[in-house]
Amino acid sequence: MKLSQFRFDLPLNLIAQNPPKRREDSRLMVVERNTGRIEHKQFKDVLDYFDDKDVFVVNNTKVFPARMYGRKEKTGAKIEVFLLRELNKQNRLWDVIVDPARKIRVGNKLYFGENDELVAEVIDNTTSRGRTIRFLWDSDEASFRKMLEFMGETPLPKYIKRKPTEEDKERYQTVYAKYEGAVAAPTAGMHFSKELIKRLEIQGIKFAELTLHTSLGTFRPIEVEDLSKHKMDAEYFRIEDETCKIVNAAKTTGHRVCSIGTTTMRALESSFTAQGLLKPNEGWTNVFVHPPHKFSIADSLITNFHLPKTSLLIMVCAFTGYDLAMEAYQVAIKEKYNFFTYGDAMLVI
């Protein structure tokens, strides 16, 4: 398929700027793949679509405060530094994106904080905007992490046209986030409150966890018309034995396995056996799911409404069926569903 087939006109006022008052207060569009039926619900109604021994697979990655603002030595020019991933803990080497990039060259020093509490040196160019930097920090790891936490801010996507608040520290995160490493939240999971999870568990639904550290590559614009030529950035993932046992027990007894989000689905589609069962794995995945694609593990999906021409929308179309997914998006626009990070949800069954 071609990238241009995933274009649609999205009114900018439908991109949610703030989270709903309560997590489960989001709207939920329910799309049935077999019948093409589309229903309009509240997210808490997800209870009505699953039974005892069905499984929800969630991504327990935790977002860290990846966006920092520093000053360039000598000129004092303000520089945004977006931390992507730690390359070497001992040497405090990080892969970052800098903006404006044209001003930042190898050998430059960057200063952070009112009193230059943190200093970094640029040691390599990786892409036009990418750099490798080394933080010059002599104290221990715990104090370094504390300093990054203090200097960084919640990395809200640029489509949210406001500064992050204290509330975002909690809301731009799932309630089950455990392992720090993501620079973007697995947004489908943000609709679950602790209370809703408890109600689902009482109903007999099991939760299985995996980890995929979402990077900016998930949101990187696709620049080729032929989707088969697009290369996804690799993201670290881990699927443990216990998760496989829970998921495979459901699959072998005819119960439903629901992927909570496209990041979870990406991890599931990166580690399965020839028999279509989930297997333990740890490493890096650059799987790009696009139509046509035969899904191996999950038979239902909860996801947010995504932006045009993104890898996330393309995966949803692969799972739902292209025509039905694009119809559902037109319905969502007509019914004024909220899109993107803090937006409403879609359940595909």
Side-chain angles (χ1 to χ4, degrees), residues 117-170:
E117 291 93 336
L118 190 59
V119 183
E121 182 181 11
V122 180
I123 63 168
D124 196 13
N125 289 339
T126 52
T127 63
S128 59
R129 293 173 59 217
R131 303 287 185 273
T132 299
I133 66 172
R134 177 171 59 227
F135 286 103
L136 309 177
W137 185 265
D138 295 329
S139 195
D140 60 23
E141 176 69 12
S143 61
F144 175 62
R145 291 284 163 176
K146 205 168 178 182
M147 183 58 72
L148 286 186
E149 186 85 25
F150 177 72
M151 292 292 176
E153 70 176 31
T154 304
L156 293 181
K158 297 280 190 180
Y159 283 99
I160 295 179
K161 305 291 187 187
R162 61 176 178 80
K163 292 289 286 178
T165 64
E166 276 300 307
E167 183 189 28
D168 291 309
K169 284 185 180 177
E170 185 229 335

Side-chain angles (χ1 to χ4, degrees), residues 220-233:
R220 194 186 300 285
I222 298 173
E223 293 171 341
V224 289
E225 177 67 359
D226 181 353
L227 295 183
S228 66
K229 291 184 166 57
H230 177 62
K231 298 284 187 287
M232 288 287 283
D233 288 8

Side-chain angles (χ1 to χ4, degrees), residues 4 6 13 20-23 36 42 47 53 82 101 112 117 124 169 175 203 231 247 252 255 258 287 292 305 345:
S4 52
F6 298 91
N13 66 318
K21 195 160 188 177
R22 296 186 312 160
R23 289 177 182 269
Q42 293 294 118
L47 285 153
K53 295 189 177 63
F82 197 100
F112 302 89
E117 291 93 336
D124 196 13
K169 284 185 180 177
V175 297
Q203 193 165 304
K231 298 284 187 287
V247 168
T252 53
H255 291 94
C258 183
V287 166
F305 290 95

Side-chain angles (χ1 to χ4, degrees), residues 25-48:
D25 284 349
S26 304
R27 295 166 73 191
L28 178 69
M29 177 187 285
V30 183
V31 180
E32 292 183 9
R33 290 188 290 177
N34 289 343
T35 64
R37 185 176 170 202
I38 295 174
E39 294 182 289
H40 305 289
K41 301 284 186 178
Q42 293 294 118
F43 192 79
K44 55 181 173 285
D45 297 327
V46 74
L47 285 153
D48 300 336

Side-chain angles (χ1 to χ4, degrees), residues 17 260 308:
Q17 297 297 306
I260 308 304

Side-chain angles (χ1 to χ4, degrees), residues 324-349:
L324 180 56
M326 295 306 276
E327 179 195 344
Y329 267 61
Q330 289 307 314
V331 171
I333 291 168
K334 181 168 171 276
E335 297 294 329
K336 293 187 165 44
Y337 274 74
N338 285 321
F339 277 64
F340 206 40
T341 299
Y342 280 141
D344 296 315
M346 174 195 278
L347 166 62
V348 185
I349 52 176

